Amino acid sequence: MSRVAVIGGGWAGIAAAVTLADAGHHITVFEMAPQLGGRARSVAGEPPYDNGQHILIGAYRDSLALMRRLGVAPEQVLQRLPLALPYPGEAGLRLPPGPPLVAFARGVLAHRGWPLSARLGLLMAAAGWLARGFQCADTLSVAALCARLPRDVNRDLVEPLCVAALNTPASQASAQVFLRVLKDALFSGAGSGAGSADLLLPRRPLSELLATPATAWLGERLRLGTRVHGIEPGWRVDGEAFDAVVLACTSTEAARLVAPLDAGWAATAQSLRFEPIVTVYLHSPGSALPAPMLALRDGPDAPAQFVFDHGQLGGAAGRFAFVVSGAAPWVGSGGCAEAVLAQAQRELAWATPPVIDKVLTEKRATFACKPGLARPPARIAPGLWAAGDYVAGPYPATLEAAVRAGLAAAQGAGAEAGG
């Protein structure tokens, strides 16, 4: 039986470890933190807070399959909702059930908040993207791709979807990656068919989706609170012999470990730049949103793009998570939580004035998904693979991208490790 080390216990590391173990390999998972989950985890609170308000969608087939493999029923821990982007006092775009292409066309045509010319303009643009196979110049930004779309469409659909999926403002975000997200979620279904664009909102603390069941499943194969200091060809992890290694840690940690072995790969990983996400939790007893999630129009004095009602998601009643994606300007200038509080008071008009409950800032939440970005490949050397949402691939830094990277690395490392 071959021995494979998995360094890192986020969603990519969990996916790699489970896949390798199922293939019959003897695995050891090294995780420097005291718990699994990486950035997608719960933090202390009653009930626990999530380290950021994560959203899954129906097209995340590999993430959902991994949950089921660990004994988690997605339909019990996730609330499935048809894709809708309601704003305070506005119905917004809503996609009806049905095949992705048909549902998108019907939803756009039914959106009375846009003039008919705007609706037809969006459908014509989407038809053009479809005809071109959702391909564009690698140097194109989302803003440039959508420059001819009506202002309302960019404001109410393109910009919020872009910052939610890529965590990068449309003016700086890769149009090619954005088109791939649209293709899989809204148009082709990535093999998932109807429901691929559905929102899957956690109804349980985030760690219960994957990290906690994975901890139980891995058992003695897991070494928590253990930082790896070095790897050597052969392969040896801090002097311990393995047949292959999967680096499922952050790009920064992977670069540190790989630098003595492959300076070029390490340099590419180190060149990645990151975008923060701030989650501001407000508390307003007795208040509720008209839906579990509302979109918000951000601006110079309005940081948040989305708000989630935890009371409607099986969590604490009166707790609301305001998400500030692409939050670099706010992290740099400060005052984000106070600005979110003022934004909530202006736009939601709750009878009970909200108060700031908790602020969670993930300064390196995702890589900045910019046009033409060079991302390091998954295979570093024979028997040495990287797994993470940052490795080369068609997707931005999402949970599904992390899981798919873990699966690919496990298959590659497992094949090279032998039986």
Side-chain angles (χ1 to χ4, degrees):
M1 179 185 294
S2 60
R3 302 185 72 235
V4 182
V6 178
I7 302 174
W11 282 44
I14 293 170
V18 172
T19 302
L20 286 162
D22 280 345
H25 300 281
H26 178 82
I27 61 165
T28 302
V29 180
F30 300 86
E31 169 54 54
M32 70 169 67
Q35 73 283 321
L36 294 181
R39 297 186 299 274
R41 66 186 188 280
S42 306
V43 298
E46 187 53 49
Y49 297 88
D50 289 338
N51 185 46
Q53 182 69 52
H54 289 70
I55 307 173
L56 290 79
I57 62 173
Y60 282 12
R61 62 179 187 273
D62 290 315
S63 296
L64 299 175
L66 181 58
M67 289 182 195
R68 294 188 184 97
R69 176 64 187 87
L70 294 176
V72 177
E75 60 274 11
Q76 294 180 6
V77 299
L78 298 169
Q79 182 166 335
R80 179 181 284 266
L81 300 169
L83 177 64
L85 291 174
Y87 288 83
E90 304 174 28
L93 177 67
R94 297 175 180 271
L95 299 192
L101 280 172
V102 175
F104 181 76
R106 289 176 58 198
V108 170
L109 289 173
H111 184 14
R112 302 306 178 190
W114 295 337
L116 180 60
S117 59
R119 287 175 267 164
L120 294 177
L122 174 58
L123 291 178
M124 290 179 61
W129 298 336
L130 181 63
R132 293 187 292 273
F134 294 90
Q135 297 293 318
C136 71
D138 195 45
T139 56
L140 202 63
S141 71
V142 172
L145 173 75
C146 302
R148 295 185 179 181
L149 285 176
R151 177 180 176 275
D152 289 350
V153 172
N154 273 312
R155 180 194 65 187
D156 295 344
L157 178 65
V158 173
E159 292 172 5
L161 284 184
C162 178
V163 77
L166 278 64
N167 191 34
T168 307
S171 61
Q172 304 172 32
S174 166
Q176 183 56 70
V177 175
F178 183 66
L179 284 175
R180 181 55 185 263
V181 172
L182 293 184
K183 175 187 176 184
D184 284 0
L186 295 182
F187 297 102
S188 72
S192 303
S196 60
D198 287 353
L199 301 177
L200 307 180
L201 306 181
R203 295 174 51 86
R204 299 294 303 157
L206 193 56
S207 288
E208 295 185 19
L209 271 58
L210 207 65
T212 299
T215 301
W217 193 88
L218 289 168
E220 295 182 353
R221 295 172 287 196
L222 178 61
R223 298 184 191 176
L224 294 173
T226 304
R227 187 188 191 198
V228 171
H229 297 286
I231 56 176
E232 302 171 19
W235 292 96
R236 304 186 75 83
V237 176
D238 286 347
E240 187 175 350
F242 291 92
D243 298 294
V245 176
V246 173
L247 292 175
C249 44
T250 67
S251 60
T252 302
E253 276 293 292
R256 177 182 67 82
L257 293 170
V258 172
L261 310 172
D262 187 331
W265 190 97
T268 302
Q270 288 174 328
S271 71
L272 296 175
R273 297 296 176 260
F274 295 88
E275 287 282 350
I277 294 177
V278 178
T279 306
V280 179
Y281 288 94
L282 299 185
H283 184 61
S284 177
S287 299
L289 299 179
M293 181 195 82
L294 289 182
L296 302 170
R297 295 189 179 97
D298 61 355
D301 59 350
Q305 297 97 1
F306 295 94
V307 56
F308 297 81
D309 186 342
H310 280 215
Q312 296 189 52
L313 294 171
R319 179 188 288 180
F320 302 87
F322 288 75
V323 180
V324 184
S325 296
W330 290 98
V331 171
S333 62
C336 183
E338 291 74 17
V340 167
L341 179 62
Q343 182 182 11
Q345 292 170 327
R346 286 194 309 270
E347 299 192 29
L348 300 175
W350 286 325
T352 304
V355 297
I356 298 172
D357 189 12
K358 194 175 188 66
V359 180
L360 294 173
T361 301
E362 189 68 55
K363 292 186 177 180
R364 299 167 65 87
T366 69
F367 64 85
C369 193
K370 296 186 176 182
L373 178 67
R375 295 158 63 178
R379 188 175 187 267
I380 304 170
L384 180 61
W385 289 69
D389 57 18
Y390 67 89
V391 299
Y395 299 106
T398 62
L399 295 175
E400 179 74 355
V403 169
R404 291 189 182 187
L407 297 176
Q411 292 163 2
E416 291 178 347

